[in-house]
Amino acid sequence: MKKLLLTAVVAFCTLFASAQIMVVTTYDGDLEGAERLTNNAGIGYMATDQITAGMTKAGDDEYSVFVRYAVKDDLYAMMTMPTKDGSDKMEIGLGYSFNVWNNLYFEPNYTMPVKEDANGDREGKFRFGLGYRF
């Protein structure tokens, strides 16, 4: 039993030793000052070269879960779901990561809601973001 536990601990530690962490934020022009960048800040765990999962702040006391899948090179598909009313406000989209300098990335993306709103619209949003990979 001790060998099994030790093997599990070593495997778990090596998983995190090779992991990459990503810090992301999205520009929100509706806000003022530094909140334009810090209001949507988040952190993600790059589980593989293709899959990243994490959480972002989505306003006051609200958070969103995001998952990214690298389609090809720096092109990615993404899904964002808030923790409140999750499936009702889920969004899917596409984005591209431009390497600006070292591990800093400029990330324009386009997302649209999965479900229609009360008016029957599914209007998408074009956003700009920044990401830094450790």
Side-chain angles (χ1 to χ4, degrees), residues 78-80 89-94 109-115 121-127:
M78 61 186 277
M79 186 274 305
T80 306
K89 295 182 179 178
M90 186 183 329
E91 295 182 342
I92 57 172
L94 289 173
N109 60 60
Y110 181 80
T111 59
M112 65 184 301
V114 174
K115 290 188 176 183
D121 295 332
R122 285 181 42 187
E123 188 173 321
K125 296 177 185 172
F126 186 73
R127 298 179 179 137

Side-chain angles (χ1 to χ4, degrees), residues 6-132:
L6 181 60
T7 304
V9 168
V10 169
F12 190 69
C13 290
T14 57
L15 176 69
F16 281 105
S18 65
Q20 270 195 316
I21 302 296
M22 175 189 295
V23 178
V24 294
T25 188
T26 304
Y27 178 79
D28 190 352
D30 295 336
L31 300 174
E32 295 180 11
E35 285 186 347
R36 290 182 177 179
L37 285 176
T38 60
N39 196 47
N40 297 318
I43 189 165
Y45 171 72
M46 296 177 74
T48 66
D49 289 340
Q50 284 88 21
I51 299 173
T52 303
M55 291 192 80
T56 59
K57 186 178 177 193
D60 297 332
D61 299 329
E62 291 185 27
Y63 296 92
S64 293
V65 176
F66 73 88
V67 176
R68 287 185 179 184
Y69 179 76
V71 178
K72 185 175 179 184
D73 296 327
D74 292 328
L75 179 68
Y76 61 88
M78 61 186 277
M79 186 274 305
T80 306
M81 184 175 73
T83 54
K84 281 186 178 178
D85 302 324
S87 61
D88 292 335
K89 295 182 179 178
M90 186 183 329
E91 295 182 342
I92 57 172
L94 289 173
Y96 192 84
S97 294
F98 293 100
N99 190 343
V100 177
W101 179 69
N102 286 342
N103 293 329
L104 180 66
Y105 290 84
F106 174 68
E107 300 180 333
N109 60 60
Y110 181 80
T111 59
M112 65 184 301
V114 174
K115 290 188 176 183
E116 297 175 345
D117 63 5
N119 299 329
D121 295 332
R122 285 181 42 187
E123 188 173 321
K125 296 177 185 172
F126 186 73
R127 298 179 179 137
F128 298 103
L130 290 174
Y132 190 82

